């Protein structure tokens, strides 16, 4: 029923209502589309941040190319591998890509429980592009970490240096750091010479570099290393060292020093007293220096093999008298002075030459400077610039000055190769390349006389124990027993022993110096002098390596007449 007179306001038609509802729906759709666009934009932006960030070219300040760079293999003279590169995975993180740091920490420690939790959490927190987590892992660990599927955790393949011989040639090879850079030994020298340049030019990025061939014979190196270990145990010594050199080329055939280290674990080189005694140690050489005195005096013409010297009484200098250890206390010929290792006779020989001429000869033989050599671990000798009368007297038999075993082996090589001082090297070198480097320090006739004296000492003197151990390989040389300075005084209880030698002396090819530091007597019948330890080690090495080096034995225990100088025949 219609009500007349009442006003209910404006009325909306059915079409109008539909139009209003349509406008509202379109507005809602537009807002929903906008919200979706914004949402997808945020998600997309995060995905770009997580997956499309241009990676840094460095890892903690170290160029990635340098970290992944390779080093050339190092081979011995026969092609045996001494050092090679192997590829290993190293774990790193990109903290800005990690979504849940705490989850990443807990999950990583299920595979790597040794990682300290707080340290790892700090490493994974922040906006850095790269941080190391743990380097040089095994492929098995890599696979387990990758299965965790943690965003921002990944691996890079590095080059790691591996030394198959372990400790055997440690002081020759040196080692590399965790970034595969040479930090000691020939590895450091190689970086200084060419490896760093190859890496800079991009030629060492996963490429096979040409091998570096050393002069070392790992067969001989093994024998020397083994015999030095035996010496430490047999004589209860605190250290031992040795070096062998080709007298014509200067090539180092073997070099070892104990205690040593494992280059696969560079930190082991920090153990006390594991330094290279052959190059970085200087010692009073004792009586092996008498060969130097004989060489200088004979070459100067001041004395000859037929001369005789009064060794009946000690030589007095002020309050001190220098005497012989086992003195004959009689007139001695020069060969007898040498084979009996007479301090008195050696002083007389030096005095005939003159102390200034003697000092000048030491300079000529290279005892004033470092030996030119590839290893960075070198030390200057300690030789007084001028000698007093007593200083020259003690220096004549190897006291009051200090040189390295490398100095001595280079000198002995010159003494038996015809008189040419040739710089030693760890790289392969033939005679034709070595000859331009020769520096004549002796006349050939003097070299002949020294070969005779060294072989005579092996047959009749202090080197007789060495000769027995060498079993027919015609080695010869000189013993040296040097008392060590303890609290400012020479101690008769602590000595450093040497044996300097060459073989085979009828046609010499190799010189060698062996050192045994603070030995004890092997048994009640032996003493602590050099003939019983350093000499015996020398003989055992010669006996084992001579066949490897193509040297045939001669079991006739007589002096080869070709070694006897004409003046004595």
């Amino acid at each position: 029923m219609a009500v007349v007179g009442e006003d209910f306001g404006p009325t909306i038609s059915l079409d109008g209502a539909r139009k209003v509802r349509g406008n509202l729906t379109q507005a809602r759709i537009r807002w929903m589309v906008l919200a979706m666009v914004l949402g997808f934009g945020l998600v997309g932006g995060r995905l770009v941040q997580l997956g499309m960030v241009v990676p840094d070219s460095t890892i903690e300040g170290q160029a990635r190319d340098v970290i992944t760079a390779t080093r050339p293999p190092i081979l011995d003279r026969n092609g045996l591998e001494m050092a090679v590169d192997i590829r290993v995975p190293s774990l790193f993180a990109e903290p800005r890509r990690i979504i849940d740091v705490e989850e990443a920490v807990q999950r990583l420690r299920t595979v790597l429980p040794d990682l300290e939790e707080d340290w790892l959490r700090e490493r994974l927190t922040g906006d850095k592009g790269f941080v190391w987590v743990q380097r040089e892992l095994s492929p098995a660990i890599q696979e387990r970490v990758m299965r965790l599927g943690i965003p921002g955790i990944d691996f890079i393949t590095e080059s790691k240096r591996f030394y198959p011989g372990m400790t055997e040639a440690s002081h020759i090879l040196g080692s590399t750091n965790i970034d595969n850079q040479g930090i000691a030994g020939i590895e450091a020298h190689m970086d200084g010479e060419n490896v760093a340049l190859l890496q800079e030019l991009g030629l060492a990025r996963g490429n096979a570099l040409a091998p570096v061939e050393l002069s070392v014979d790992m067969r001989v190196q093994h024998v020397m290393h083994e015999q030095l270990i035996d010496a430490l145990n047999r004589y209860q010594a605190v250290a031992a060292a040795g070096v062998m050199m080709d007298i014509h080329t200067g090539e180092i055939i073997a070099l070892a020093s104990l205690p040593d280290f494992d280059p696969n674990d560079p930190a082991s080189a920090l153990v006390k007293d594991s330094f290279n005694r052959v190059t970085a140690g200087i010692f009073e050489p004792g009586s092996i220096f008498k060969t130097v005195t004989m060489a200088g005096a004979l070459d100067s013409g001041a004395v000859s093999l037929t001369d005789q010297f009064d060794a009946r009484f000690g030589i007095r200098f002020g309050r001190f008298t220098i005497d012989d250890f086992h003195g004959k206390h009689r007139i001695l010929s020069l060969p007898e002075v040498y084979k009996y290792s007479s301090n008195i006779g050696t002083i007389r020989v030096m005095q005939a030459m003159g102390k200034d001429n003697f000092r000048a000869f030491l300079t000529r033989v290279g005892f004033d400077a470092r030996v030119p050599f590839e290893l960075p671990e070198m030390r200057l000798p300690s030789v007084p610039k001028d000698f007093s009368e007593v200083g020259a007297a003690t220096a004549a038999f190897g006291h009051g000055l200090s040189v390295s075993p490398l100095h001595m082996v280079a000198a002995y090589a010159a003494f038996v190769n015809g008189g040419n001082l040739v710089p030693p090297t760890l790289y392969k070198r033939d005679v034709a390349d070595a000859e331009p480097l020769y520096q004549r320090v002796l006349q050939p006739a003097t070299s002949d006389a020294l070969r005779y004296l060294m072989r005579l000492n092996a047959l009749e003197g202090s080197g007789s124990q060495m000769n027995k151990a060498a079993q027919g390989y015609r080695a010869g040389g000189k013993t040296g027993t040097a008392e060590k300075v303890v609290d400012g005084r020479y101690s008769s209880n602590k000595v450093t022993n040497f044996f300097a030698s060459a073989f085979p002396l009828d046609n010499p090819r190799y010189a060698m110096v062996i050192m045994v530091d603070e030995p004890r007597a092997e048994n009640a019948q032996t003493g602590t002098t050099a003939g019983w330890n350093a000499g015996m080690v020398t003989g055992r090495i010669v006996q084992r390596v001579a066949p490897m080096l193509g040297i045939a034995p001669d079991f006739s225990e007589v002096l080869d007449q070709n070694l006897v100088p004409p003046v004595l025949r």
Side-chain angles (χ1 to χ4, degrees):
M1 174 167 43
V3 179
V4 179
E6 292 189 22
D7 186 2
F8 291 94
T11 60
I12 300 174
S13 67
L14 182 61
D15 290 340
R18 288 175 178 172
K19 184 176 181 180
V20 170
R21 285 196 297 271
N23 290 337
L24 290 173
T25 301
Q26 290 178 7
R28 291 190 184 102
I29 291 172
R30 283 196 296 270
W31 282 108
M32 288 179 66
V33 170
L34 179 60
M36 290 176 67
V37 168
L38 290 173
F40 279 117
L42 290 173
V43 173
R46 181 60 174 163
L47 290 175
V48 168
Q49 182 182 9
L50 293 176
M52 299 181 63
V53 176
V54 177
D56 289 353
S57 62
T58 63
I59 295 180
E60 296 190 343
Q62 182 71 44
R64 297 180 73 181
D65 280 347
V66 172
I67 291 170
T68 59
T70 57
R71 301 178 65 83
I74 299 177
L75 310 179
D76 86 333
R77 66 185 305 107
N78 300 311
L80 186 69
E81 289 181 334
M82 299 175 69
V84 294
D85 266 11
I86 58 175
R87 308 293 280 172
V88 294
S90 289
L91 178 63
F92 70 90
E94 298 176 77
R96 64 188 177 201
R97 292 186 56 200
I98 295 176
I99 299 172
D100 189 330
V101 171
E102 193 60 36
E103 180 186 21
V105 169
Q106 299 306 322
R107 295 176 71 181
L108 277 175
R109 293 188 74 248
T110 63
V111 179
L112 299 167
D114 291 339
L115 294 179
E116 204 276 325
E117 186 172 339
D118 290 339
W119 175 87
L120 182 57
R121 186 177 294 107
E122 182 180 350
R123 297 292 279 174
L124 301 186
T125 301
D127 197 38
K128 293 182 179 179
F130 289 91
V131 293
W132 286 121
V133 177
Q134 190 160 339
R135 301 176 73 173
E136 299 178 355
L137 297 169
S138 68
I141 293 293
Q142 179 185 22
E143 183 179 358
R144 291 178 60 192
V145 171
M146 293 303 290
R147 284 179 179 175
L148 297 175
I150 305 173
I153 297 294
D154 206 346
F155 286 86
I156 188 171
T157 300
E158 295 190 80
S159 294
K160 174 181 170 62
R161 207 59 159 164
F162 177 66
Y163 303 91
M166 309 296 278
T167 62
E168 280 195 353
S170 58
H171 284 108
I172 294 172
L173 294 167
S175 57
T176 58
N177 62 17
I178 200 166
D179 293 321
N180 215 26
Q181 298 167 328
I183 56 175
I186 202 70
E187 293 278 28
H189 179 264
M190 285 165 50
D191 273 12
E193 288 293 304
N194 50 26
V195 170
L197 176 61
L198 291 174
Q199 293 177 346
E200 183 180 341
L201 296 175
L203 300 178
R205 310 279 187 258
N207 299 319
L209 300 178
V212 173
E213 296 182 311
L214 299 188
S215 61
V216 177
D217 188 325
M218 281 303 293
R219 301 171 304 169
V220 180
Q221 180 72 21
H222 171 76
V223 172
M224 179 177 285
H225 186 262
E226 183 181 73
Q227 288 301 317
L228 292 177
I229 291 175
D230 178 73
L232 286 184
N233 297 325
R234 187 189 297 252
Y235 309 117
Q236 301 177 56
V238 299
V243 56
M244 182 186 296
M245 173 177 165
D246 184 309
I247 65 170
H248 300 296
T249 65
E251 294 173 301
I252 296 299
I253 306 301
L255 184 157
S257 176
L258 300 176
D260 55 12
F261 63 96
D262 184 355
N264 294 304
D265 178 17
S268 63
L270 302 177
V271 175
K272 183 181 178 182
D273 293 333
S274 62
F275 67 96
N276 185 352
R277 286 167 168 77
V278 174
T279 62
I282 58 172
F283 308 90
E284 290 196 354
S287 291
I288 62 170
F289 212 74
K290 289 174 180 172
T291 311
V292 179
T293 304
M294 295 293 174
L298 286 167
D299 203 65
S300 71
V303 301
S304 71
L305 289 173
T306 57
D307 287 348
Q308 295 188 324
F309 301 89
D310 188 352
R312 292 176 297 171
F313 311 103
I315 302 177
R316 191 171 185 83
F317 294 93
R319 297 183 295 111
F320 302 100
T321 300
I322 298 176
D323 209 336
D324 288 338
F325 182 59
H326 290 302
K328 299 298 178 179
H329 297 109
R330 62 176 174 83
I331 303 296
L332 300 175
S333 67
L334 189 143
E336 287 178 323
V337 169
Y338 191 78
K339 75 177 184 179
Y340 295 139
S341 198
S342 169
N343 295 336
I344 300 169
T346 304
I347 293 171
R348 302 289 189 201
V349 169
M350 181 277 299
Q351 289 175 335
M353 179 187 185
K355 66 181 181 67
D356 293 336
N357 291 333
F358 174 55
R359 182 63 186 83
F361 181 71
L362 301 188
T363 298
R364 197 162 88 204
V365 184
F367 292 134
D368 284 339
R370 287 185 177 91
V371 178
F373 196 52
E374 291 85 9
L375 294 186
E377 298 81 22
M378 303 289 288
R379 190 172 170 192
L380 278 168
S382 178
V383 181
K385 292 183 179 180
D386 298 295
F387 282 142
S388 63
E389 293 294 336
V390 67
T394 57
F397 54 87
H399 288 265
L401 48 76
S402 297
V403 298
S404 73
L406 190 64
H407 281 91
M408 293 307 303
V409 79
Y412 267 73
F415 294 163
V416 298
N417 72 3
N420 297 303
L421 189 66
V422 53
T425 182
L426 280 169
Y427 293 116
K428 292 181 76 172
R429 180 199 286 162
D430 58 28
V431 175
D433 291 329
E435 284 179 342
L437 305 174
Y438 284 5
Q439 179 184 350
R440 179 160 292 284
V441 293
L442 296 177
Q443 302 170 69
T446 305
S447 177
D448 292 342
L450 294 173
R451 288 195 294 128
Y452 160 73
L453 291 174
M454 290 168 65
R455 183 60 180 150
L456 178 70
N457 189 53
L459 292 171
E460 302 178 8
S462 62
S464 59
Q465 297 300 321
M466 178 281 302
N467 187 59
K468 292 176 183 177
Q471 295 184 10
Y473 288 104
R474 307 175 307 289
K478 187 73 186 72
T479 53
T481 300
E483 295 179 347
K484 300 181 75 170
V485 176
V486 178
D487 297 328
R489 295 186 176 184
Y490 284 106
S491 169
S492 59
N493 296 322
K494 292 187 176 183
V495 296
T496 305
N497 288 349
F498 298 90
F499 198 96
S501 63
F503 69 98
L505 278 174
D506 54 342
N507 182 23
R509 290 173 55 189
Y510 303 100
M512 180 164 57
V513 172
I514 295 295
M515 182 190 83
V516 180
D517 196 7
E518 293 188 27
R520 296 185 182 181
E522 184 177 2
N523 53 55
Q525 284 72 45
T526 64
T528 59
T529 53
W532 289 104
N533 40 74
M536 293 291 287
V537 174
T538 298
R540 288 191 285 264
I541 292 174
V542 170
Q543 187 269 331
R544 288 185 57 185
V545 306
M548 302 174 186
L549 299 171
I551 299 170
D554 179 354
F555 294 104
S556 59
E557 291 297 318
V558 295
L559 186 64
D560 188 330
Q561 288 304 301
N562 292 328
L563 282 174
V564 181
V567 69
L568 296 178
R569 292 177 188 171

